[in-house]
Structures are given as structure tokens and as C-alpha cells.
């Protein structure tokens, strides 16, 4: 198999993870980092050992042309995703596009339709959907291990210091210079919880979603949400509720839970770990492997392996992004609802960890769970 040349757009921040992953694949002999696109070139110290001296340029299109790369990894600010993806597609370059794929449903469709028309492959970077746990859970459900599925819950209790919102000009923004950004807890850091819950609810595509309710709040001095929940009703009548926060008291691993009338399956998606609990059996725990999405894209380009996360398989997630975009701006929590941890320079919402777990367990929204800082439930609702 010939080595596939790759250009990485956005090599700082989360892009550093991609640099290390490309090095791993380069060590296996299947890819070569041909170019890096950054506004300010990386120094030698910023390029992991073993990647050589890739060509660098701030001009993405020119870099693709000069390197002849076959794949572009795009890990740039959210509002740039569509234009960069289309620039790659117009040159016949296949794409790994970081999540969220776009800041609005219209931009997502422009990207997905343009990529399809160009005939190139596009993989969306929801790494959790590359886990072998996902098909294993689907198989357990199909076998009736937990009876009839009654709903899907998702929970993410994370912590972010105030510096997190200063990491980039667009961080924590809903819009910037009149352009949508939508960098909130549900749409970016904990987007995997939403996308994975929808996938396990057999509701990945845009047409699988009929109703979306949101409750968006913030403890931090930002535009976007840092403490929020969403409830999606699927075309099959299933409810998918995901509750998240970046203001946890005791941060823990996020998870998705599939509720059945005779049991439940919990999936800690960052760990590829699954717990099956069902009537008449003791708890059963499983550990799974994971297929890297860039490696899968390379295999698709060279051997025609099926892609794991095509754009249309994230259409339902993008409907959630659109509902959040159209919702009223997140409400600030009252000063009595949070406090600052000076040693960690982060804001904490007391009791939020339990509320996040309760929402995933009961499929209820924060206001329905009696959070005294949540407004009486008047759904910010979108019918699709």
C-alpha cells in the first residue's frame, strides 16, 4: 500500500492531538505529513519528533496544491470548517473534518452537499463513533438484552477553568463579527455525548429528529452555554435527553445510557467501556477497542473500506446545533447558584453533578428536576 500524503489545517490546540495521531500512523508507514496550515508557522519544537519538516503555509489551497496531498485534516475554528472543506473537495482531496462540522444547519448542508458533488470522502471527527462498543451495544439491543428501549440519556459533568474561554478569540462565543460560532458545552466539548446518544437511539440523520427542546444556561461570563440540557424526540417517538456542564463539582467520565424496560446499558464513550445491567442477571462489564477515524479514512481511500462517520450520519446532531443556534441566548445563572474555586480558577455550580446524572436517568430537563436556578419549563422548542 502506498503512503498517503496528509495536510493538517490547525495544528495547535486540539490540533496537537492530530499531530501525534498522524505521527502514529506515519510510524506505521501508511501516511506522511506533507504540510501544516497555520497562520503562524509551527516552530521545530512544536512539531513532534519523527514528522520531519513538513511544508508550512497560511494558504490552505496553495498548500494542498503544492504538496499534492490526498487527505486534509481540518481542525480549525468552527466557522471556517465549511469553506476549508469545500476548498479541499474542489481539489479532489478527501477530508477528516473536526466536530462540530459547522455552526449552523445551512452551513452543514452547504458543506455536505458540496463534498458529495465533488465526489470526495468526508469523515466527521466524532471519535466515539469509531468505538467497537457502538455496534456491540446495538447488537445487545437487537437481541433484546434490555427489553424494549424506552429512552436514551447522556451525561457529561466536566470542569473548565476560566482560561479555557480565553484560549481563542472564538471560545465561548455564539457569534463573532456577525458570523455564527455556537461554541457551547453541548455543541463542542461534550458534543460526543449528543452525537453518541443519537446514534444509539438509531437517530443519526436529520430526518430522524422531529422535536428538540433546549435549556441553555451559563455560570461563566461568556456568550454560550456551559450548563445545559437538550431533549430530542425522534421520528420513532423515542426521547433522547443529554445534560452537561463545564462547572462540575467533581468532574467525571461522560457517558450515555440506553434505558430498556428490562435493564440498561451504560457506555462511557471516552473509555470504550460498557456496563450491562438486566433483570435476572448480575452486572456484566465489557471493554472494547476503537478504530481511529483518520486510519479508517485512509483505508477507505486506499482499500474502499466503509467510512464510519459520513456527514449525513451527523445530520441529527446538526439539527441540535441549529436548535441551540436559534434558541434565546443562554441565561446567566444567579450569583447565588455558583462559586469560584480560586485554586483552580474555575466556577462550580453546587449540585450540578447530581442533576446531570438525574437528567440522563429520568430523561427530564433541569427545570423539570426542580433546579431552583432553572426557569419553570417553557421549552425553547424546535419542530423539524
Amino acid at each position: 500500500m502506498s503512503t498517503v500524503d496528509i495536510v493538517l489545517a490547525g495544528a495547535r490546540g486540539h490540533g496537537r492531538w492530530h499531530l501525534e495521531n498522524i505521527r502514529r500512523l506515519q510510524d506505521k508507514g501508511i501516511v506522511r505529513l506533507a504540510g501544516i496550515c497555520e497562520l503562524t508557522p509551527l516552530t521545530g519544537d512544536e512539531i513532534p519528533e519523527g514528522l520531519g519538516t513538513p511544508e508550512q503555509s497560511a494558504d490552505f489551497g496553495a498548500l494542498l496544491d503544492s504538496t499534492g496531498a490526498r487527505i486534509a485534516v481540518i481542525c480549525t475554528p468552527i466557522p471556517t470548517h465549511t469553506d476549508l472543506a469545500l476548498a479541499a473537495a474542489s481539489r479532489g482531496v478527501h477530508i477528516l473534518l473536526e466536530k462540530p462540522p459547522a455552526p449552523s444547519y445551512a452551513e452543514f448542508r452547504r458543506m455536505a452537499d458540496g463534498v458529495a458533488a465533488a465526489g470526495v470522502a468526508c469523515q466527521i471527527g466524532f471519535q466515539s463513533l469509531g468505538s467497537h462498543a457502538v455496534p456491540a451495544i446495538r447488537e445487545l439491543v437487537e437481541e433484546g438484552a434490555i427489553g424494549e428501549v424506552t429512552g436514551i440519556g447522556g451525561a457529561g459533568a466536566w470542569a473548565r477553568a476560566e482560561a479555557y474561554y480565553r484560549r481563542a478569540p472564538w471560545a465561548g462565543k455564539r457569534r463573532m463579527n456577525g458570523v455564527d460560532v455556537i461554541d457551547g458545552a453541548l455543541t463542542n466539548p461534550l458534543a460526543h455525548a449528543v452525537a453518541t446518544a443519537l446514534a444509539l437511539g438509531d437517530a443519526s440523520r436529520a430526518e430522524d429528529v422531529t422535536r428538540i427542546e433546549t435549556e441553555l444556561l451559563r455560570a461563566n461570563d461568556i456568550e454560550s452555554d456551559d450548563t445545559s440540557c437538550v431533549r430530542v424526540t425522534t421520528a420513532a417517538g423515542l426521547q433522547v435527553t443529554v445534560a452537561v456542564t463545564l462547572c462540575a463539582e467533581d468532574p467525571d467520565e461522560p457517558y450515555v445510557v440506553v434505558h430498556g424496560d428490562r435493564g440498561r446499558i451504560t457506555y462511557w464513550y471516552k473509555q470504550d467501556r460498557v456496563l450491562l445491567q438486566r433483570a435476572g442477571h448480575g452486572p456484566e462489564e465489557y471493554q472494547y477497542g476503537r478504530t481511529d477515524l483518520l486510519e479508517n479514512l485512509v483505508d477507505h481511500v486506499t482499500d474502499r473500506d466503509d467510512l464510519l462517520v459520513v456527514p449525513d450520519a451527523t445530520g441529527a446532531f446538526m439539527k441540535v446545533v441549529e436548535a441551540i443556534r436559534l434558541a434565546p441566548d443562554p441565561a446567566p445563572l444567579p450569583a447565588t447558584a455558583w462559586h469560584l474555586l480560586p485554586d483552580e480558577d474555575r466556577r462550580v455550580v453546587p449540585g450540578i453533578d447530581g442533576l446531570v446524572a438525574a437528567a440522563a436517568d429520568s430523561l427530564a430537563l433541569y427545570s423539570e428536576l426542580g433546579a431552583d436556578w432553572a426557569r419553570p419549563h417553557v421549552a425553547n422548542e424546535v419542530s423539524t
Side-chain angles (χ1 to χ4, degrees), residues 10 13 56 60 90 119 122 133 193 198 217 249 279 291 294 314 316 343 349 357:
Q56 298 200 56
F60 181 59
S90 70
C122 182
L198 290 167
L217 304 112
E249 294 179 283
T291 299
L294 178 55
T314 66
D343 291 349
V349 177

Side-chain angles (χ1 to χ4, degrees), residues 1-361:
M1 183 179 68
S2 60
T3 300
V4 175
D5 281 356
I6 290 178
V7 160
L8 171 62
R12 294 189 172 95
H14 183 59
R16 289 192 293 267
W17 182 90
H18 284 289
L19 278 174
E20 292 291 351
N21 192 44
I22 291 168
R23 179 173 69 170
R24 180 183 67 83
L25 297 181
Q26 187 161 305
D27 288 346
K28 292 176 71 171
I30 64 175
V31 306
R32 182 181 75 91
L33 182 61
I36 295 173
C37 182
E38 268 288 356
L39 296 178
T40 304
L42 269 63
T43 65
D45 290 342
E46 290 180 290
I47 300 175
E49 188 177 345
L51 285 177
T53 54
E55 184 179 340
Q56 298 200 56
S57 173
D59 187 326
F60 181 59
L63 189 60
L64 293 177
D65 292 338
S66 62
T67 60
R70 294 180 67 192
I71 289 177
V73 177
I74 299 173
C75 184
T76 55
I78 302 164
T80 68
H81 284 184
T82 292
D83 285 343
L84 292 180
L86 293 178
S90 70
R91 292 166 168 81
V93 177
H94 306 289
I95 304 152
L96 174 65
L97 181 62
E98 258 302 342
K99 57 80 190 163
S104 70
Y105 192 74
E107 282 291 276
F108 168 71
R109 282 266 50 102
R110 186 165 74 90
M111 179 277 296
D113 293 345
V115 164
V120 300
C122 182
Q123 181 106 279
I124 307 299
F126 283 108
Q127 293 289 341
S128 60
L129 300 183
S131 175
H132 305 163
V134 171
I137 292 169
R138 287 178 175 147
E139 188 173 335
L140 284 170
V141 168
E142 289 168 6
E143 291 171 352
I146 58 170
E148 183 178 349
V149 174
T150 57
I152 312 285
W158 274 5
R160 290 292 182 267
E162 293 194 356
Y164 174 77
Y165 302 105
R166 299 190 295 270
R167 73 191 190 280
W170 53 269
K173 294 284 200 304
R174 278 173 68 76
R175 58 195 68 85
M176 191 168 71
N177 301 323
V179 176
D180 290 320
V181 176
I182 320 299
D183 177 40
L186 284 163
T187 55
N188 195 3
L190 286 154
H192 284 89
V194 179
T196 307
L198 290 167
L200 293 179
D202 197 23
S204 295
R205 297 175 178 270
E207 58 268 28
D208 296 330
V209 172
T210 59
R211 183 179 183 227
I212 302 169
E213 303 162 83
T214 61
E215 289 186 358
L216 309 175
L217 304 112
R218 58 179 177 83
N220 285 275
D221 185 16
I222 57 175
E223 288 181 4
S224 285
D225 57 291
D226 59 35
T227 299
S228 45
C229 53
V230 62
R231 182 164 57 205
V232 177
T233 304
T234 74
L238 200 67
Q239 287 193 335
V240 178
T241 299
V242 181
V244 303
T245 186
L246 301 178
C247 305
E249 294 179 283
D250 297 302
D252 206 353
E253 288 291 334
Y255 61 88
V256 172
V257 57
V258 183
H259 298 282
D261 59 7
R262 295 202 305 274
R264 60 193 286 166
I265 301 168
T266 306
Y267 170 35
W268 289 270
Y269 60 80
K270 286 180 67 67
Q271 301 175 318
D272 302 309
R273 182 164 62 93
V274 172
L275 176 65
L276 170 62
Q277 297 165 291
R278 51 181 169 166
H281 296 75
E284 302 167 55
E285 190 163 330
Y286 304 94
Q287 188 73 43
Y288 292 93
R290 177 179 292 213
T291 299
D292 176 71
L293 296 185
L294 178 55
E295 191 164 0
N296 172 239
L297 176 59
V298 172
D299 288 343
H300 173 79
V301 168
T302 56
D303 297 330
R304 307 308 300 171
D305 286 14
D306 289 341
L307 282 180
L308 290 171
V309 193
V310 296
D312 280 349
T314 66
F317 169 79
M318 283 307 308
K319 285 289 188 179
V320 172
V321 173
E322 183 72 356
I324 290 170
R325 186 181 77 87
L326 296 175
D329 286 349
L333 291 174
T336 54
W338 60 270
H339 63 264
L340 182 70
L341 289 182
D343 291 349
E344 300 179 35
D345 190 31
R346 69 178 182 89
R347 300 187 185 192
V348 170
V349 177
I352 190 61
D353 302 30
L355 281 168
V356 164
D361 199 46

